[in-house]
Amino acid sequence: MVYRFRVILDNDTEEDIFRDFEIRESDTMEDLHNVITQSFGFDGTEIASFYISDEEWNQGEEISLFDMSDGLNAVRLMNETTISDTVHEAQTKLIYVYDFMNMWTFFVELAEIVEVAEGVDYPNLMYVQGQVPTEAPEKVFEAEKDEFDQEFDDDFDVDDYDNLDFEENWN
């Protein structure tokens, strides 16, 4: 079988930047990594990881290009993991991060699974939309508000050191 993917660059511009391609289900996640880097014009020499994602694009289990764990934790590696072991009808979304210094981030989604076509070489780049910017889009990391935020709001001004009662409560 052949998996058809759409890979979308996570950016804040008006222009959508994505690539559609086909790849065999028996290929590895490293093959998928290579198709993505080549189709977006990267040299493929930077560290990268896939993350299994849910429907809301929350980051889950990592599948890494290299084992950087120093043997402390079991790590799934791209070259040892087939696409069909990772993506299927019930699990269609991945997050792909390339170059952890610049954080090029992509949303990878399985569009459909089709039969192998006669005379087609795989992987097969089917469609290109948009020009990749010269620099990675800037990421804004914000913590989510939780239900306990109000519990610890006790009206202290941490910049007003004279009124924090350090002397009274100092051991």
Side-chain angles (χ1 to χ4, degrees), residues 23-162:
I23 189 168
R24 293 180 187 271
E25 68 178 335
S26 58
D27 286 340
T28 66
M29 296 300 291
E30 185 174 22
D31 296 325
L32 182 58
H33 152 79
N34 290 334
V35 171
I36 293 171
T37 56
Q38 291 169 10
S39 68
F40 282 92
F42 298 115
D43 62 13
T45 60
E46 301 294 334
I47 295 174
S49 286
F50 286 98
Y51 298 91
I52 295 175
S53 177
D54 62 15
E55 289 299 313
E56 286 81 40
W57 295 104
N58 294 309
Q59 181 175 311
E61 179 186 7
E62 180 180 14
I63 303 168
S64 181
L65 184 58
F66 302 109
D67 185 355
M68 308 277 286
S69 70
D70 293 330
L72 300 175
N73 297 324
V75 175
R76 287 178 70 183
L77 297 176
M78 289 184 200
N79 66 344
E80 298 172 351
T81 307
T82 62
I83 294 171
S84 62
D85 287 341
T86 307
V87 180
H88 43 79
E89 288 92 349
Q91 171 56 57
T92 61
K93 296 182 178 186
L94 301 168
I95 297 170
Y96 174 70
V97 178
Y98 176 76
D99 184 0
F100 284 88
M101 296 300 286
N102 292 303
M103 295 296 290
W104 290 94
T105 305
F106 300 85
F107 299 112
V108 181
E109 187 165 13
L110 176 65
E112 64 182 330
I113 301 172
V114 297
E115 295 287 333
V116 174
E118 289 285 326
V120 176
D121 290 328
Y122 298 102
N124 175 32
L125 182 61
M126 300 168 53
Y127 187 77
V128 173
Q129 170 70 43
Q131 187 69 28
V132 178
T134 56
E135 293 184 9
E138 189 172 321
K139 299 286 177 237
V140 177
F141 297 99
E142 294 178 357
E144 294 179 10
K145 288 221 174 256
D146 62 28
E147 61 190 79
F148 301 109
D149 282 346
Q150 298 300 322
E151 181 179 335
F152 298 106
D153 185 15
D154 29 5
D155 296 324
F156 282 123
D157 180 4
V158 293
D159 294 323
D160 184 11
Y161 296 110
D162 295 333

